[in-house]
Amino acid sequence: MKLTILGGGGFRVPLVYHALLGDGGPGRITSVVLYDADSSRLSAIAAVLRQQAAGSERPPVVTETTDLDTALRGADFIFSAIRVGGLEGRTVDERVALGLGVLGQETVGAGGIAYGLRTLPVAIQIAQRIAAVAPEAWTINFTNPAGMVTEAMIPYLGDRVIGICDSPSGLGRRAALALGVDPSTAFYDYAGLNHLGWLRGLRSGGVDRLPDLLQSADALASFEEGRLFGEDWLRSLGSIPNEYLHYYYFARETLAAVQGVRQTRGTFLLEQQSAFYAETGEHPERAFELWQKTRAERESTYMVESREVADAGERDERDMAAGGYEQVALSLMRAIAHNERASLILNVRNRGVLHHLDDDAVVEIPCTVDANGALPVTLSQLTDHQAGLVSAVKAVERATIEAATTASRATAVKAFAYHPLVDSVTVARSLLDTYVDQLPNLAYLRP
C-alpha cells in the first residue's frame, strides 16, 4: 500500500515512519511518498528516514516530490500534516496576540484563529486535488487546528477524511495507568472538540473507574493532568480535562507565565528546528542522530509554561516514549485497510451523538473503526458548562471557516470576538488588522 505524507519535510515525520517500521504484518505500507513545497526540508527528513530504517527488514521505500498531484496519485492513505507559513508564521501568531494582551497559543484562542485563517484556504485546495486525483484514498488529517481543518475538508472528501490528535488517547492512557488498568482494554468516555474535551468516564471490566481515580490523591498526583489541574478542581468538575483546557481554566496565570518567558514556544521551535535542518544539510550522514537529539529537547519542553503555573514538574518520560499521533494514525490505517475493528478517539462528524450540536459539526469522540471508516459511538451528554464552552468554540471554528472561504473581514472579526479568551471586539479588530499586516498568507483579508 502507498502512504502519501503531505508536509513530508516536517520534523515529526520520522515518528510516523518509525511506527511503519514496527508494522510487519501483511498488507502493510510498502511505499511512502513525502510531499513538501520545501525541497531542502524534504531532503533532510528523507535522510533521517533512510538512516532510521538501517537494519530493518523490508522497510517502506521512501521517495520525495514537490509536485502535489504526483504525490497523491495512486495513494491508499494520505496523511496531512502541513504548516502554512511555517514556524515563522507561528511566532507571529503568538507575538501579536501577546502584544494585545491575549493568549497567543498555537491552536487555542487568537493564535489558533490566525493559524486557521492562513491554513484553511490551502487545506481546501488540497482536499479538492485529492477528490480529483485520488478519490478512493483515505485522508488522515493532523494539520492544526485539526477539528477546524477536518470540517473544512469534509465537503470535498466526505467521511473519507478523518481528523486525529494524540491528546485524548494520551490522557486516557495516563488515567488508566494511574488506576493500574491496562490502557488497551479500557473504554474512554471522552467528548468535546479538538483540544477542548473531557474524560468523563473510564470503563474497565464493565465498571466506571473514573470516580475511584478522582477520589485518590496519590493516583491523581501520579500523572500530568492530575498535577496540572489539581485534585480539588478535578473533583469539582467530576471529569478530567484535556491538557489544553488549562488555557481556559487558568487563563490569567498562563497568560502571565507566557508573557514572562524570554521566548515563545514558536520562537523556541523555530530556532531549534532551523539549527537542525541547517546542521543536517551540512552533515547528512548524521541526520537521524541529530533528529533524535532535537526531538528529545522538544518533547521535554512541551507546555512548559502551564506545567510551571501548576508546579506540575517535568514531563513523564514513560508518556513521551509511549507514542502519540503516529500510533493513532497507524491503528486507524490498519483498521480500515484490514477491516480490523478498533476503538479510537477521532475527529469526525457528530451525527447526533452530542445533542447540542448539529450532525455535521466535527467533534472529537470515540469511534468504532473498520473497513467502512469511523462510526461515532453513543456517549453520555456534556454538562451545561462543557456544552456551553464547546458551542462557543464551535461558533469560532465555523466563523473562521466562513471567513477563509468567503474572504470576509467582518466574519474574521467575529471569529476573534466570539472566542472566550478574546474579551473585546476592539481587540478582535486589532488582532485581525495586525495579523493581516504581518502574515503574507492573510493578504486575502486585506481591506
Side-chain angles (χ1 to χ4, degrees):
M1 291 193 300
K2 173 181 174 180
L3 169 65
T4 293
I5 301 180
L6 307 180
F11 183 79
R12 292 203 281 183
V13 168
L15 297 174
V16 178
Y17 194 66
H18 175 74
L20 298 176
L21 290 174
D23 183 24
R28 63 193 181 90
I29 298 293
T30 57
S31 170
V32 174
V33 178
L34 306 180
Y35 164 80
D36 203 291
D38 188 326
S39 59
S40 64
R41 289 168 62 93
L42 268 181
S43 298
I45 294 302
V48 173
L49 302 194
R50 293 186 177 109
Q51 291 170 31
Q52 192 177 20
S56 299
E57 294 185 11
R58 300 180 303 150
V61 176
V62 177
T63 56
E64 312 112 69
T65 182
T66 56
D67 183 79
L68 179 60
D69 282 9
T70 298
L72 297 176
R73 199 167 287 115
D76 297 287
F77 291 95
I78 297 163
F79 186 78
S80 179
I82 64 173
R83 182 178 285 279
V84 178
L87 285 171
E88 294 84 354
R90 176 174 176 175
T91 64
V92 175
D93 295 344
E94 295 169 337
R95 188 179 62 249
V96 168
L98 291 172
L100 289 167
V102 296
L103 184 70
Q105 205 276 335
E106 178 190 18
T107 61
V108 175
I113 296 167
Y115 191 10
L117 286 171
R118 69 171 184 273
T119 302
L120 290 168
V122 178
I124 289 169
Q125 291 172 3
I126 288 173
Q128 291 171 332
R129 293 314 303 158
I130 294 172
V133 177
E136 297 304 311
W138 290 88
T139 299
I140 301 171
N141 177 61
F142 187 69
T143 297
N144 277 323
M148 188 191 301
V149 172
T150 301
E151 186 160 330
M153 298 177 84
I154 281 176
Y156 309 93
L157 302 177
D159 292 329
R160 297 186 84 85
V161 58
I162 299 169
I164 67 168
C165 181
D166 54 344
S167 289
S169 59
L171 166 57
R173 180 177 62 248
R174 289 187 287 272
L177 291 174
L179 283 164
V181 170
D182 181 352
S184 66
T185 64
F187 172 77
Y188 307 107
D189 184 347
Y190 179 97
L193 306 179
N194 180 237
H195 291 180
L196 188 80
W198 297 262
L199 180 67
R200 294 96 45 77
L202 194 161
R203 301 190 67 81
S204 176
V207 177
D208 183 6
R209 298 290 307 281
L210 186 62
D212 297 337
L213 178 58
L214 291 173
Q215 290 305 312
S216 172
D218 289 342
L220 288 174
S222 72
F223 69 104
E224 184 149 339
E225 286 80 2
R227 297 188 296 269
L228 197 61
F229 294 100
E231 61 182 275
D232 290 342
W233 182 236
L234 294 178
R235 287 170 185 157
S236 295
L237 288 174
S239 61
I240 302 179
N242 183 295
E243 59 196 344
Y244 283 86
L245 273 154
H246 196 267
Y247 295 119
Y248 294 85
Y249 290 139
F250 298 92
R252 294 188 183 192
E253 296 87 346
T254 305
L255 176 60
V258 175
Q259 288 176 325
V261 299
R262 182 181 66 85
Q263 59 182 2
T264 65
R265 176 69 172 171
T267 303
F268 166 77
L269 292 176
L270 176 60
E271 293 178 359
Q272 185 200 51
Q273 291 188 25
S274 295
F276 160 74
Y277 285 106
E279 195 169 357
T280 301
E282 295 175 2
H283 303 284
E285 75 283 357
R286 297 178 55 212
F288 185 45
E289 171 197 342
L290 293 170
W291 178 84
Q292 287 180 305
K293 177 184 175 183
T294 306
R295 183 203 167 215
E297 184 180 16
R298 172 194 174 112
E299 293 299 323
S300 66
T301 57
Y302 180 67
M303 289 190 74
V304 64
E305 293 88 1
S306 290
R307 295 204 310 275
E308 288 176 353
V309 167
D311 194 23
E314 295 184 359
R315 225 177 154 201
D316 194 323
E317 290 186 8
R318 294 172 302 173
D319 193 58
M320 290 188 283
Y325 77 95
E326 70 277 8
Q327 292 298 334
V328 180
L330 181 62
S331 297
L332 178 58
M333 287 190 290
R334 287 198 61 83
I336 292 173
H338 306 301
N339 202 25
E340 294 179 356
R341 194 178 182 90
S343 178
L344 299 169
I345 300 171
L346 302 168
N347 286 266
V348 295
R349 287 199 283 193
N350 181 41
R351 296 184 180 278
V353 172
L354 299 180
H355 297 167
H356 70 285
L357 293 176
D358 61 72
D359 288 353
D360 291 329
V362 166
V363 294
E364 194 165 72
I365 52 178
C367 298
T368 298
V369 188
D370 57 21
N372 295 308
L375 182 66
V377 174
T378 300
L379 298 166
S380 59
Q381 295 304 304
L382 298 176
T383 65
D384 288 346
H385 155 65
Q386 294 166 349
L389 190 51
V390 164
S391 294
V393 175
K394 177 53 69 177
V396 172
E397 292 185 350
R398 287 186 157 167
T400 307
I401 293 171
E402 182 182 344
T405 53
T406 64
S408 168
R409 283 179 55 85
T411 306
V413 169
K414 286 199 295 185
F416 286 109
Y418 284 169
H419 202 284
L421 297 179
V422 178
D423 56 1
S424 163
V425 175
T426 302
V427 170
R429 289 175 177 143
S430 296
L431 284 165
L432 177 61
D433 288 342
T434 312
Y435 280 131
V436 168
D437 183 58
Q438 297 190 24
L439 292 168
N441 301 98
L442 296 188
Y444 71 95
L445 288 170
R446 292 190 185 280

